[in-house]
């Protein structure tokens, strides 16, 4: 990952003003995830198109003219994942998917449907959220120069900083859930079958859990 990141940065040096989100932040997780799953470099561009199109399905409003295109991307993405499982079975290599396919054949781990779902989740969710986290992290460090100086002076804080970036400005706004039984939360009765969204930003700024929660602190544990 460090080698890929360094190569991407080297390519941007000398370019003057750049859009970090559409270059480094976009490319790094895509390349790394594809390599982890054994996706050939020649296929990365089509995977990139699918992840971008599927991401539109999570928009609050989906333009009518885009729905058929998004549906087609979901179908094609699923078919590609199925084919990738077959390719890894026929020609295993040193990647995560090959290891999981081998475990599946030994009857130890994941079914074929679970393998397909894992591929799609890693390539889509892993790309989109990591891309967001990278850009958020760059923005937070650029707008908090004291914290950036602290991190540069003590690289051992990098692990803390990554967790703090995710806490302070999470790329995930909410986690949807359906209630399976009648429950009561904070005095409110919620019947079974209700659709709820758990607010991740609210939890991450909860003063009962975090001291001075609205302060960005790379040394926070």
């Amino acid at each position: 990952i460090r080698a890929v990141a360094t190569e991407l940065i080297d390519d941007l040096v000398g370019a003057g003003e750049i859009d970090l989100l559409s270059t480094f932040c976009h490319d790094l997780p895509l390349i790394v995830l594809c390599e982890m799953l054994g996706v050939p470099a020649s296929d990365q561009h089509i995977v990139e198109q699918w992840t971008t199109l599927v991401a539109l399905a999570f928009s609050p409003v989906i333009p009518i003219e885009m729905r058929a295109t998004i549906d087609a991307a979901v179908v094609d993405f699923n078919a590609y994942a199925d084919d990738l499982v077959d390719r890894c079975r026929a020609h295993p290599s040193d990647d995560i998917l090959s290891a999981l396919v081998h475990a599946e054949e030994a009857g130890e781990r994941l079914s074929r449907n679970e393998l397909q779902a894992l591929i799609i989740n890693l390539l889509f969710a892993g790309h989109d959220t990591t891309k967001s986290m990278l850009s958020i992290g760059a923005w937070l460090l650029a707008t908090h120069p004291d914290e950036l100086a602290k991190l540069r002076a003590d690289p051992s804080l990098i692990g803390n900083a990554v967790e703090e970036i995710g806490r302070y400005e999470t790329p995930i706004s909410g986690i949807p859930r359906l209630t399976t039984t009648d429950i009561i939360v904070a005095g409110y009765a919620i019947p079974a079958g209700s659709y709820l969204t758990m607010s991740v930003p609210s939890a991450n700024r909860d003063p009962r859990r975090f001291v001075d929660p609205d302060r960005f602190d790379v040394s926070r544990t």
Side-chain angles (χ1 to χ4, degrees):
I1 294 173
R2 184 185 297 274
V4 173
T6 300
E7 183 178 349
L8 290 172
I9 292 289
D10 287 346
D11 289 342
L12 296 174
V13 172
E17 185 175 297
I18 62 163
D19 181 343
L20 197 66
L21 177 62
S22 65
T23 54
F24 179 81
C25 299
H26 178 83
D27 294 338
L28 179 61
L30 178 68
I31 294 170
V32 170
L33 286 166
C34 284
E35 289 192 10
M36 285 172 59
L37 287 169
V39 174
S42 57
D43 289 351
Q44 288 183 11
H45 70 287
I46 188 65
V47 170
E48 175 185 13
Q49 293 176 23
W50 286 330
T51 60
T52 301
L53 284 169
V54 174
L56 296 176
F58 293 86
S59 304
V61 178
I62 303 175
I64 294 176
E65 65 274 13
M66 287 299 299
R67 292 178 185 174
T69 304
I70 294 170
D71 285 344
V74 171
V75 172
D76 291 341
F77 205 171
N78 192 65
Y80 180 84
D82 192 43
D83 179 64
L84 193 60
V85 170
D86 287 335
R87 279 193 269 171
C88 284
R89 179 177 286 112
H91 305 286
S93 58
D94 184 22
D95 57 67
I96 290 176
L97 184 58
S98 292
L100 290 173
V101 168
H102 177 74
E104 176 211 4
E105 290 178 336
E108 298 172 4
R109 297 287 175 85
L110 303 177
S111 68
R112 186 179 188 86
N113 285 340
E114 288 169 334
L115 285 170
Q116 288 175 259
L118 179 67
I119 294 168
I120 292 171
N121 272 304
L122 281 175
L123 288 174
F124 165 62
H127 180 217
D128 192 59
T129 53
T130 308
K131 172 182 176 179
S132 298
M133 272 286 286
L134 287 167
S135 60
I136 289 168
W139 177 77
L140 282 175
L141 291 172
T143 54
H144 294 79
D146 291 345
E147 296 304 302
L148 176 57
K150 189 190 302 182
L151 190 59
R152 282 175 167 159
D154 184 4
S156 69
L157 292 175
I158 288 175
N160 296 59
V162 171
E163 295 292 335
E164 177 68 347
I165 289 166
R167 180 198 72 85
Y168 192 76
E169 291 289 358
T170 174
I172 302 172
S173 61
I175 300 175
R177 288 290 184 269
L178 288 173
T179 54
T180 57
T181 60
D182 296 342
I183 58 174
I184 296 177
V185 178
Y188 290 91
I190 304 174
S194 298
Y195 179 91
L196 304 176
T197 298
M198 312 301 165
S199 174
V200 178
S202 178
N204 286 348
R205 298 291 185 98
D206 187 346
R208 297 168 298 181
R209 175 64 179 83
F210 301 101
V211 177
D212 197 5
D214 294 327
R215 179 170 59 89
F216 178 64
D217 180 6
V218 297
S219 60
R220 188 188 298 273
T221 57

